[in-house]
Each structure stands twice: as structure tokens, then as C-alpha cells.
Amino acid sequence: MMAEKVRYGIVGTNRLAVKFVEALKESAKGEAVANFGHDYKKAQQFAQEMAIPDTYDELESLFNDDSIDIVYLAIKNEDHYESAKAALEAGKNVLLEKPFTRHKVGARELFLLAQQKNLFIMESQSAIFLPIIEKAKQLIDQGMIGEVNFIDIQENYDTTDKKEWFTRLSAGGGAFINGGTTPIGLIQYLTGKDVTEWNGFEFNEVGETDTRCNLALKADDVLANIIIATDFGLETKIVVYGTKGRLAIPNYWEAKMAYLKTATGELKKFKADDQQSEIVHEINHINEALANKELKSSVVTPELTMHTMTIIESMYQKWYGDPLN
């Protein structure tokens, strides 16, 4: 039986792990009870700063801790598959940072293993749970901009804590594999339609992964464009164009406001309700799913993750002749 609070084991000490534990403290029903990092002293310091009770010097020991309900894996891309598989085999529910794995074969195995063991596993797609995104979806569903025709997403992807490996394809580096999951998921979430066609271009230095890319996509009758950049100051934003106006969210990861401009030029502002860190809302979603003994997310479904991976993998096959497996 699960305790009153969902108990998380944190794997990793990077910027994402810090944000996640801070969000856990804001959540009503989640807490970090143990952590692990490959640098044990750094992991101990992380635990002390973040008030985490226990630190393990072996990953296997954390996975075998019966007091932990779910593990959050904020680790290098190349370690995603093996670590998530080990956690599932040890009987732990898993929240795995994006990109889920480097290959569809491994992703499919993880979802099947979780199903066989009656465990929950989800790819972290915290942007979908942002209050401003939820507000935008409500406005779109209410027909405030008419029928959606086009979505433009720009993403300035920060590689500050990934410099060591980001230029290597074998390590899971690249602008699209790291930054593409969020905008592809947002297109499908906001429209309620699957992406059915896609194509695109990338730029890379010789022998290195893509540092920027531009994708054109089609979700049923909606066209979309995604630009991701890691090497210049691209403005992060979402603009959704409809038959009766457009809806813009500048810097959507931190935004509290959405701006709707009607076809007649009238500007309306909409504020997100209960604006907290996007991760808090994701954590609350996971906690509720675990409390209800659900084995998969109703929002970030296995189907969404697998389809997103199909798109990403196909583009790397085109660009590099490498299907990422």
C-alpha cells in the first residue's frame, strides 16, 4: 500500500534534478526520500542542500529500496534505456526524462516490461502540464480563434549542462532529439490530432550532431513549423493561427499570459490560473495516476511518446543514415 505521500528516488544531480526536487517540495503529495549520483560526494552535497534523507553509492541499492514508490531519472541520454529497464526490473515505477530513449526498439521494450510488471512509466513532458498551455488549449477548444490552420513553435534549447556530450550522436546529442519532443507533443496536445506528415533540415559541424533544425509538419488539416536552436539567441514562443485570429505565448516555459488577437485587430489578454513550475503540475498528475493505480498517463501516453520517437528517428535516418538504434 502506498504511503500518504508518493516517495521519489532521484537519480541525477543536474539542473533538471534540482528543479524536480524543488517542485516536489511545492507539490501536495510528493517527496524525495533518496538520491543517487555517479559522483557520490556531489550526490551527498545535493541531498544535503535539497534536504533528501538518504544518498546511495550504488544505483542498484536505490532501485531496491522498498520505501521508494517511483524513480525520477535525470541522467545522460545514453543511459536512459539501461537505467529505466533496471528500475522496472526492480519493481519501481519510472518517470524518465526526455528523450525517452535513443531508439524505438528500446522504448517499446520499456513500455512492454512496465505492462508485464504492472508498473507505471512515463516520459517527462512537463511543458504539456504548464497552466498557460492548458489555458491555450481551453481557448482553442472554445473556438476563440476559429479553426486552427497553423502552429509556429520556436525553441531556444539550453545545452549548458550538456556540453560534454551534446555533439556526439552516439551519446544522444543533437538539437532535434533533445528539443523536439516538447514541440511535437505540444502540436498534438493543442490540436488533439496526430502528426501525419513531416520533413525538415538541420545544420551541423562536420562530424558532429545538429545544433539547429527546422521542421515542417502536418497534423491532419493543421500545418506546423518547429525551429530549434542551440547556437544562437532564438526567441522561444508559440503562435497558433486560426480562421478568426491568433494566439501567442511568448517565452511559454515561464509565461503567465497568452495574447489573443482577433481578425479585427482586437487584442485580448488571458492569464493562466494557479501558475507554478510546470514540473509541479506534472508531479501532481503522476501522483494522482499512482494513487488511482493507473499504469500509464492519460496525457503523455505511450502512444504519444512512440509516435514522437518515430518522427525524430526518421529525420536522423535522413540526415545521418543513423536510425538511432
Side-chain angles (χ1 to χ4, degrees), residues 77 80 96-100 123-126 178 181-182 253:
N77 295 354
H80 281 197
L96 181 56
E97 261 304 332
K98 58 186 180 297
F100 195 67
E123 177 183 33
S124 178
Q125 283 220 42
S126 52
N178 285 275
T181 298
T182 294
W253 284 99

Side-chain angles (χ1 to χ4, degrees), residues 56-282:
Y56 285 101
D57 59 0
E58 292 185 1
L59 185 55
E60 184 181 359
S61 299
L62 183 142
F63 289 159
N64 289 322
D65 183 342
D66 291 335
S67 72
I68 294 172
D69 300 310
I70 182 169
V71 295
Y72 168 62
L73 303 178
I75 52 180
K76 291 181 180 179
N77 295 354
E78 58 189 317
D79 296 333
H80 281 197
Y81 168 74
E82 293 292 346
S83 296
K85 184 178 180 181
L88 291 170
E89 288 178 336
K92 289 291 179 286
N93 299 297
V94 174
L95 175 63
L96 181 56
E97 261 304 332
K98 58 186 180 297
F100 195 67
T101 59
R102 288 189 64 252
H103 44 81
K104 289 194 301 179
V105 173
R108 191 175 295 110
E109 287 180 8
L110 292 180
F111 285 125
L112 287 173
L113 181 59
Q115 186 178 30
Q116 291 166 4
K117 290 185 168 290
N118 292 319
L119 293 168
F120 177 94
I121 186 169
M122 186 184 104
E123 177 183 33
S124 178
Q125 283 220 42
S126 52
I128 287 178
F129 298 94
L130 279 161
I132 196 66
I133 298 297
E134 184 179 352
K135 185 66 177 179
K137 182 167 175 58
Q138 290 173 0
L139 295 172
I140 291 167
D141 290 346
Q142 291 166 6
M144 295 292 287
I145 59 171
E147 295 293 323
V148 174
N149 290 329
F150 180 67
I151 299 178
D152 185 33
I153 301 181
Q154 294 185 184
E155 186 77 33
N156 187 21
Y157 190 81
D158 185 2
T159 63
T160 302
D161 58 352
K162 303 176 176 66
K163 297 290 187 185
E164 177 190 341
W165 53 266
F166 197 80
T167 60
R168 292 185 288 118
L169 191 65
S170 62
F176 190 38
I177 190 172
N178 285 275
T181 298
T182 294
I184 293 172
L186 287 174
I187 289 166
Q188 297 181 117
Y189 178 70
L190 290 172
T191 63
K193 301 173 180 180
D194 290 338
V195 171
T196 51
E197 298 178 58
W198 57 89
N199 206 343
F201 300 92
E202 52 75 46
F203 171 82
N204 67 294
E205 298 292 346
V206 176
E208 297 184 357
T209 55
D210 52 307
T211 56
R212 66 190 92 123
C213 58
N214 187 13
L215 280 293
L217 309 96
K218 189 175 183 181
D220 194 9
D221 56 347
V222 178
L223 298 180
N225 191 65
I226 297 171
I227 301 178
I228 302 167
T230 67
D231 55 356
F232 69 95
L234 183 68
E235 179 188 1
T236 295
K237 65 178 181 179
I238 298 175
V239 185
V240 184
Y241 296 84
T243 54
K244 296 180 181 178
R246 68 175 183 265
L247 184 66
I249 310 174
N251 196 22
Y252 66 89
W253 284 99
E254 299 176 5
K256 296 182 179 180
M257 302 290 294
Y259 302 89
L260 192 156
K261 192 171 186 179
T262 67
T264 59
E266 181 184 2
L267 183 65
K268 299 179 180 180
K269 298 179 182 179
F270 295 89
K271 187 176 181 180
D273 299 323
D274 189 29
Q275 179 77 19
Q276 292 175 288
S277 159
E278 75 279 5
I279 303 174
V280 175
H281 300 279
E282 181 177 53

Side-chain angles (χ1 to χ4, degrees), residues 12-83:
T13 56
N14 58 21
R15 177 171 49 92
L16 288 172
V18 171
K19 286 185 67 177
F20 191 85
V21 176
E22 289 175 344
L24 270 174
K25 293 176 182 178
E26 292 184 56
S27 70
K29 296 184 178 180
E31 60 180 347
V33 297
N35 78 309
F36 167 84
H38 289 292
D39 183 330
Y40 183 59
K41 288 186 178 179
K42 187 175 181 180
Q44 285 182 308
Q45 182 181 353
F46 177 89
Q48 185 176 4
E49 291 173 354
M50 305 305 291
I52 300 173
D54 293 315
T55 300
Y56 285 101
D57 59 0
E58 292 185 1
L59 185 55
E60 184 181 359
S61 299
L62 183 142
F63 289 159
N64 289 322
D65 183 342
D66 291 335
S67 72
I68 294 172
D69 300 310
I70 182 169
V71 295
Y72 168 62
L73 303 178
I75 52 180
K76 291 181 180 179
N77 295 354
E78 58 189 317
D79 296 333
H80 281 197
Y81 168 74
E82 293 292 346
S83 296

